[in-house]
Amino acid sequence: PPTARVRVHQISPSQPAAKKTTQSLRIMQVAFFFMVIVSAASGFSPSAAKTRPGTKLQMGLFDGIFGGGGKAKASHILIKGSDSDEKCKGLLMGIYETALDGGDPKQGVPAEALMASFAQYASEFSECPSAKEGGSLGSFGKGQMVPEFDDVAFNAPVGIVHGPIETQFGNHLILITDRN
């Protein structure tokens, strides 16, 4: 009876089919590595800043490399002039007194009351065109504001009036209302 012979052919790395297979394998390894990194990065969200007042915003995994950092939403009051620092301090006290409305400061200030009080003071006293909108600047990205303003908007606690913050434009009171 005839016997079957199996011919085994080895592919050497110099042959085109082997190079293609090696390249495909390398691409799959890189893609898998990237998927693992992206999955891990989703665990580093800045949501802690919204849920726990007073905590610092955590930078995302790629923010330091690609300059990310999300967006902030804030309102401000701009006061110009040589005595702007003192005026801001007086406005700051007035904003909180109005928001408390005779309540106990130890109980904290309701967010809605603070935002309404801030908007009222911004409309009345701010020297910025945003005064027409209660001081609201809307959402903005990191680097869109002057450095002093940016530092507060992206690092200071959300839901607290910060200031006076001095910039080239004057002194500001800043209320960060959201960050992501």
Side-chain angles (χ1 to χ4, degrees):
T3 57
R5 292 192 172 169
V6 177
R7 185 171 179 207
V8 176
H9 180 72
Q10 283 188 309
I11 299 175
S12 71
S14 63
Q15 293 179 329
K19 281 185 180 179
K20 242 184 197 179
T21 304
T22 304
Q23 287 174 345
S24 295
L25 183 60
R26 179 126 332 153
I27 290 170
M28 288 180 6
Q29 287 172 333
V30 170
F32 176 76
F33 177 74
F34 185 75
M35 287 179 6
V36 169
I37 294 297
V38 169
S39 296
S42 65
F44 296 99
S45 86
S47 61
K50 289 183 186 174
T51 56
R52 291 184 304 229
T55 60
K56 282 203 169 213
L57 178 69
Q58 293 181 358
M59 187 181 273
L61 185 63
F62 294 112
D63 292 349
I65 299 168
F66 299 114
K71 296 220 174 240
K73 186 175 181 184
S75 296
H76 82 129
I77 297 172
L78 171 65
I79 304 296
K80 300 177 182 179
S82 59
D83 60 345
S84 61
D85 186 60
E86 289 303 313
K87 285 182 182 177
C88 278
K89 289 176 184 174
L91 292 174
L92 181 63
M93 293 300 295
I95 290 166
Y96 275 100
E97 286 174 6
T98 302
L100 280 170
D101 193 30
D104 183 7
K106 292 178 186 175
Q107 300 299 317
V109 179
E112 297 80 21
L114 182 60
M115 291 169 64
S117 176
F118 192 92
Q120 175 188 340
Y121 273 74
S123 296
E124 192 173 334
F125 297 103
S126 183
E127 298 177 52
C128 178
S130 67
K132 296 175 191 164
E133 305 297 323
S136 176
L137 298 170
S139 293
F140 52 90
K142 206 168 194 176
Q144 288 186 273
M145 301 292 176
V146 292
E148 302 88 350
F149 199 102
D150 231 31
D151 186 45
V152 173
F154 289 95
N155 295 303
V158 174
I160 299 172
V161 180
H162 301 280
I165 307 298
E166 187 175 359
T167 70
Q168 67 198 42
F169 302 105
N171 274 291
H172 305 258
L173 293 177
I174 303 170
L175 174 60
I176 308 156
T177 55
D178 193 16
R179 186 184 305 134
N180 56 27

